[in-house]
Amino acid sequence: MADARPLVVDGASLTVDGLVHAARDAAVRLEIDPEAMERVAAGRREIEEAVAGYEAAVAAGDPHPPAEYGITTGFGSFKVVGLPPGELADLQRRLLLSHCVGLGETADRDDRTNYFPADVVRAALLIRLNAFLSGHSGVRPVLVETLAAMLRAGVAPLVPLHGSLGASGDLAPLAHLFGVLVGEGSFEIAGSAGRHPAADLPEVLGGQPPALAHKEGLALINGTSVSAAVLALALHDAERLVDVADRAAALTVEALAGAARAFDPAVHEARPHPGQLASAAAIRELLAGSRLVDGRAQVQDPYSVRCAPQVHGASRDALAHVRRVVEIELNASTDNPLFFPGRTGWDHEFAANWPAGYDGDRRIAFSAGNFHGQPLALAADFAAIAAAELGSIAERRTQLLLDPDHNGGLPRNLVPLGGLNSGAMVAHYAAAGLVSDAKSLAHPASVDSIPTSANIEDHVSMSANAARKLRAVLRRVEAVLAVELLVAAQGVEWRTFRRTAGGAPLGQAASWEHRREEQQAFARHVAAPAGIADALGGGTRRVYRAVRAVTPPLVDDRPLDAELAALRALVSSWPAGVG
């Protein structure tokens, strides 16, 4: 059920949480702030006046009519080409058509995986709408209302994954997003199966979308909205993954009967990074009441356990920085040119330097570079590194639990009858492969740039690539955490069994008969999970039960792929917070 409160968009107050809610729940009620619509109308009047002035100058035979980029001229390297007044409106339609050049992973246009997920598309649509409400883009109020109607109707155009350089905005993806307004492409509707041709859009919206007017095609595609959408949704998911990582680490501490002093508040107050403090506090809360922690009386654990708050906390702090960047971007005007009604440009300080024929006094458009995605590209790369590290340290904890030389007397690979059974050995292999893949994907996209448009666009950000890579890293880290949870749950079962077995190392009996007896005893032990859960901390008890709700203890080898998929679904849907 959607939240009863509407999401009011005003060009200045959109948050990551509000965006994610609206992007992932098409039933969210959307309202536009009336004052914001007044700004839109005021900004549009400047466009109309500029076009009227241009048309009058051309009609009067002026050899140098007042040109405004993308309104009375072509685009990119065609910026010097002034156009006949009768072609100016059609220019905007042609712009969208020419920029629909996106590509998927394969040549199969019917393969849904070649396109951005619907939540990304809805988020990009909402970000673009919100940007227009600042009043600096020069679009008509009717276009803003059309975008709002698309969101309210659950419309999500099919947008190919590849094609953006993250400068001049996300040109190709946004052209596909808004191509349906000019009859190009297809779209999906939230809550219904299949796709619809662009020709069906008037029926869905209850009327024909308005034909694009001066500057509107450029305003629709010349922004960072797709990069920002992918990054914002991925950020939301990454922030939750840190909480899951804390849960997994705490359950591993229980399985190892780990040393509690590493999590003491005094330790972390002595190095008070906010993220470190938060993760340490979360792990303490999860472990509170445990009857296993400190059960081995060792001084300290390996780094992957002892330093979990420091590593997870650093990722928290990195993501907090990314959130600041994203929430600025969600409420920014990122197209070009921009309009500031009534404002004289700073360039007028240099009017004495203007060459003959350059009539700066007649220019109203501010041509600049807010479409450059560098802030998003760097933030997405930083987030990808932060997320990859969560997977990296989780894989190390997983290996630690499976290693009898370091797991405090538990059996190799946490399975009875080792040798006949392989246990969680190859589940760890899968985690290791995923971690390696995530490390490769964490290589920054933002350090690359390929000049385009006759070298006018000579430095680009690759922000869309960076944001997509972040999303891919998160999917891998989800799976790695699922493996740690699987192994840690098995570990706490062996730890509690070891207490009942008199504390002797497990899985080391000389005779096969004794190993069979140990297996049977372990099977009886895990058949009564309440006693196991009662030995855990209040928070880790909830984590353990959540894991065991989707995957039973491992007494004999069996396929684990379906259970790991179920655990991965748990990881991806687990609410934020402790426990």
Side-chain angles (χ1 to χ4, degrees):
M1 179 182 296
D3 193 321
R5 295 169 299 176
L7 176 66
V8 179
V9 286
D10 58 11
S13 61
L14 184 60
T15 65
V16 169
D17 297 331
L19 177 77
V20 172
H21 189 194
R24 292 179 171 167
D25 182 358
V28 171
R29 291 191 298 124
L30 184 72
E31 294 183 4
I32 297 176
D33 179 71
E35 291 186 9
M37 287 299 277
E38 292 176 6
R39 290 195 295 270
V40 173
R44 183 62 192 180
R45 284 193 288 272
E46 283 217 328
I47 299 288
E48 302 293 353
E49 291 168 4
V51 171
Y54 178 81
E55 292 175 341
V58 170
D62 187 339
H64 301 290
E68 300 290 0
Y69 175 76
I71 302 172
T72 63
T73 73
F75 308 103
S77 60
F78 292 114
K79 67 182 183 294
V80 297
V81 179
L83 299 173
E87 305 289 351
L88 298 184
D90 193 42
L91 170 69
Q92 305 300 317
R93 181 187 68 87
R94 290 174 181 268
L95 177 66
L96 261 65
L97 297 178
S98 69
H99 284 59
C100 287
V101 296
L103 297 165
E105 298 286 350
T106 72
D108 184 0
R109 298 188 71 199
D110 293 327
D111 183 351
R112 183 61 183 82
T113 61
N114 283 324
Y115 304 92
F116 282 107
D119 60 347
V120 169
V121 175
R122 286 179 52 80
L125 182 55
L126 178 54
I127 294 168
R128 202 82 217 107
L129 165 63
N130 193 58
F132 290 165
L133 293 176
S134 68
H136 300 312
S137 297
V139 301
R140 293 169 297 164
V142 67
L143 184 62
V144 174
E145 290 288 3
T146 301
L147 270 53
M150 291 172 66
L151 283 163
R152 292 178 183 126
V155 171
L158 289 171
V159 178
L161 292 170
H162 301 290
S164 175
L165 298 174
S168 290
D170 297 310
L171 294 173
L174 286 171
H176 285 279
L177 174 55
F178 296 114
V180 293
L181 296 176
V182 294
E184 174 61 33
S186 56
F187 61 91
E188 300 169 334
I189 299 177
S192 65
R195 61 181 66 175
H196 302 262
D200 290 351
L201 188 62
E203 180 180 353
V204 172
L205 299 184
Q208 186 71 35
L212 298 182
H214 313 102
K215 210 272 184 178
E216 289 180 334
L218 184 57
L220 287 169
I221 71 170
N222 196 208
T224 59
S225 302
V226 173
S227 296
V230 178
L231 177 54
L233 294 170
L235 168 66
H236 175 269
D237 295 342
E239 289 172 334
R240 287 191 310 98
L241 275 189
V242 187
D243 290 337
V244 177
D246 287 344
R247 294 174 188 133
L251 196 61
T252 294
V253 172
E254 294 269 30
L256 293 169
R261 185 157 287 199
F263 308 106
D264 192 285
V267 170
H268 302 284
E269 289 162 4
R271 192 199 195 193
H273 292 291
Q276 178 178 331
L277 291 169
S279 279
I283 291 172
R284 286 196 303 273
E285 184 176 343
L286 287 156
L287 294 173
S290 170
R291 301 209 301 269
L292 299 180
V293 172
D294 262 352
R296 292 165 54 207
Q298 77 275 31
V299 174
Q300 58 189 27
D301 293 306
Y303 288 3
S304 60
V305 176
R306 193 193 334 163
C307 303
Q310 288 82 356
V311 175
H312 295 186
S315 291
R316 282 188 185 277
D317 289 339
L319 295 175
H321 166 72
V322 173
R323 178 173 275 261
R324 288 191 292 273
V325 171
V326 171
E327 293 203 327
I328 290 172
E329 194 76 5
L330 295 186
N331 296 287
S333 296
T334 60
D335 49 310
N336 177 64
L338 296 174
F339 299 87
F340 301 89
R343 189 183 188 286
T344 299
W346 179 68
D347 58 319
H348 281 64
E349 285 195 18
F350 309 101
N353 302 335
W354 292 347
Y358 180 81
D359 193 352
D361 287 323
R362 298 165 70 184
R363 292 182 180 273
I364 63 168
F366 287 69
S367 285
N370 280 2
F371 51 67
H372 202 291
Q374 195 70 13
L376 297 177
L378 291 172
D381 283 337
F382 196 16
I385 293 168
E389 281 302 291
L390 296 176
S392 180
I393 196 170
E395 179 274 327
R396 289 291 79 206
R397 290 192 296 263
T398 300
Q399 168 60 21
L400 183 65
L401 285 166
L402 299 175
D403 183 353
D405 293 330
H406 295 95
N407 67 13
L410 304 184
R412 186 183 304 276
N413 295 325
L414 301 182
V415 69
L417 300 178
L420 180 63
N421 285 320
S422 295
M425 177 173 67
V426 182
H428 168 250
Y429 290 9
L434 288 162
V435 165
S436 182
D437 200 19
K439 290 175 181 177
S440 297
L441 288 164
H443 178 82
S446 56
V447 298
D448 187 35
S449 177
I450 296 178
T452 56
S453 193
N455 217 40
I456 298 300
E457 298 166 9
D458 57 349
H459 183 277
V460 297
S461 74
M462 302 299 179
S463 59
N465 288 359
R468 283 190 300 98
K469 289 200 306 96
L470 167 59
R471 197 175 176 102
V473 169
L474 292 177
R475 299 294 84 82
R476 286 150 181 79
V477 174
E478 286 174 356
V480 173
L481 289 170
V483 173
E484 184 185 2
L485 288 165
L486 174 86
V487 172
Q490 186 85 0
V492 299
E493 288 157 351
W494 278 110
R495 181 63 59 194
T496 53
F497 177 69
R498 189 171 187 269
R499 294 201 316 167
T500 65
L506 300 169
Q508 299 181 22
S511 73
W512 197 254
E513 180 182 355
H514 286 147
R515 293 190 182 190
R516 278 286 187 192
E517 290 173 356
E518 182 180 76
Q519 180 195 36
Q520 293 163 3
F522 180 71
R524 291 191 296 272
H525 177 69
V526 297
I532 298 167
D534 287 346
L536 304 179
T540 46
R541 184 179 307 138
R542 292 190 296 274
V543 175
Y544 170 75
R545 286 172 173 160
V547 172
R548 283 295 175 240
V550 296
T551 175
L554 190 64
V555 178
D556 272 309
D557 280 347
R558 63 175 187 269
L560 294 174
D561 54 325
E563 294 168 34
L564 285 170
L567 275 174
R568 187 174 180 177
L570 172 67
V571 168
S572 66
S573 62
W574 223 330
V578 177

